[in-house]
Amino acid sequence: MAEQIPMVDYLVLDDGEPHLVAHECTGCGARFFDRRNACAGCFGTDFTTVPVATHGTVRTFTIVTFAAPGVPVPFVASVVDCDGTQVRANLVNVEPDPEHVSDGMKVRLSTYSLGADANGTEAIGFGFEPVA
């Protein structure tokens, strides 16, 4: 099998089930996906890595109809509440219209191929898809 690499550092592919991980402030519990020198909530400097729930609820979304050249539109950009952790991600495997997307919709983490290089190394992205 060809090697797979995640599109972002916080997508974990090699622990069985794909999932996201966040940096959690040990002082106040705030969670961040990017690297931090200090917590934006309490200015603490100690963090631990924690798994993020793979199921969540759409808190807000927008249907993007104009994007940079080469980016296929329309698509659904959203904020998903994963058991208290807010995740910004596109919704996938759903029609990008208000008939099929709504606030409060239940979703789960989904991964997909972004393509492979000449050596067969495959880049993997993530989004959230509706729970059937």
Side-chain angles (χ1 to χ4, degrees):
M1 181 174 167
E3 180 184 10
Q4 293 183 325
I5 57 169
M7 165 181 85
V8 292
D9 291 340
Y10 51 88
L11 173 60
V12 177
L13 301 174
D14 56 1
D15 283 350
E17 186 95 13
H19 63 281
L20 303 176
V21 292
H23 301 288
E24 183 176 83
C25 175
T26 58
C28 71
R31 290 185 174 185
F32 306 96
F33 288 106
D34 56 341
R35 184 181 130 356
R36 297 283 170 131
N37 290 328
C39 175
C42 72
F43 304 111
T45 57
D46 292 323
F47 296 87
T48 186
T49 301
V50 296
V52 174
T54 58
H55 285 70
T57 304
V58 174
R59 287 293 169 224
T60 190
F61 71 93
T62 189
I63 298 169
V64 179
T65 57
F66 296 95
V71 176
V73 290
F75 64 90
V76 182
S78 71
V79 175
V80 175
D81 181 340
C82 292
D83 201 20
T85 301
Q86 305 301 306
V87 182
R88 290 171 186 82
N90 290 345
L91 299 185
V92 297
N93 302 324
V94 65
E95 290 295 320
D97 65 59
E99 296 286 317
H100 296 93
V101 180
S102 63
D103 289 345
M105 186 168 85
K106 301 297 182 194
V107 292
R108 68 174 167 236
L109 184 72
S110 176
T111 59
Y112 54 90
S113 176
L114 295 167
D117 67 11
N119 297 322
T121 301
E122 185 178 27
I124 304 296
F126 78 93
F128 285 86
E129 64 185 2
V131 174

